[in-house]
Amino acid sequence: MIRRTFLSIAAASFIAMPAFAQDKDIVDTAVAAGSFTTLVAAVQAAGLVETLKGEGPFTVFAPTDAAFAALPAGTVENLLKPENKDQLVAVLTYHVVPGKVMSTDLSEGLVAKTVQGGEVTITLEGGPKVNGAVISAPDVAASNGVIHVIDAVILPPM
């Protein structure tokens, strides 16, 4: 039942997302979507553009601009400061899992190691989530992996 509900949500969300050519890498796909300007700016500030344009494959749990806007006032601006680059890199790489993990690979309680080194946990009850952030649009294909759109910024454990 949960899997069927998840697949229905996944299909509906995917249909709602604009179609992207699979010949674009993760960065270009995020830029083309138009709803990840803060994420793209953060990736640029962290010096991760070339990495996320690399061969991969990568799975990126991508927070929308609205997700970044929901953070406490000044958080994004503070993270983007050059002296906080290491912290920014840690936050961003916590959203990336090595390999291509599609929505059909997700299962209740799945734990995945991130590029940052920490772990994220997938839950499916009430709809798919990663560390509590709702996966609103799964399986956005890119030439070097996949993007799952999320509604919150997930933070690595301190």
Side-chain angles (χ1 to χ4, degrees):
M1 175 68 176
I2 291 174
R3 189 167 192 85
R4 188 175 328 135
T5 302
F6 173 71
L7 292 175
S8 297
I9 291 169
S13 297
F14 187 71
I15 291 168
M17 283 291 293
F20 298 108
Q22 251 187 291
D23 60 340
K24 292 182 181 178
D25 59 50
I26 286 174
V27 175
D28 291 340
T29 300
V31 169
S35 57
F36 301 106
T37 56
T38 306
L39 176 61
V40 171
V43 166
Q44 290 169 336
L48 295 173
V49 172
E50 290 308 310
T51 301
L52 291 176
K53 284 180 154 294
E55 187 175 323
F58 305 105
T59 298
V60 177
F61 294 99
T64 61
D65 290 336
F68 279 101
L71 291 171
T75 302
V76 173
E77 294 79 10
N78 193 44
L79 282 172
L80 293 175
K81 291 179 180 176
E83 62 268 23
N84 295 328
K85 184 177 178 180
D86 289 344
Q87 187 179 7
L88 178 61
V89 168
V91 169
L92 293 174
T93 57
Y94 190 64
H95 289 79
V96 180
V97 173
K100 188 174 183 179
V101 182
M102 302 301 289
S103 62
T104 53
D105 300 322
L106 303 178
S107 61
E108 181 67 33
L110 174 72
V111 175
K113 189 166 182 125
T114 68
V115 171
Q116 178 266 348
E119 295 178 336
V120 293
T121 303
I122 303 297
T123 55
L124 300 179
E125 188 172 332
K129 297 175 188 72
V130 57
N131 282 18
V134 173
I135 300 173
S136 59
D139 299 338
V140 178
S143 62
N144 61 343
V146 63
I147 297 171
H148 299 294
V149 180
I150 58 175
D151 72 345
V153 176
I154 56 176
L155 299 173
M158 295 299 175

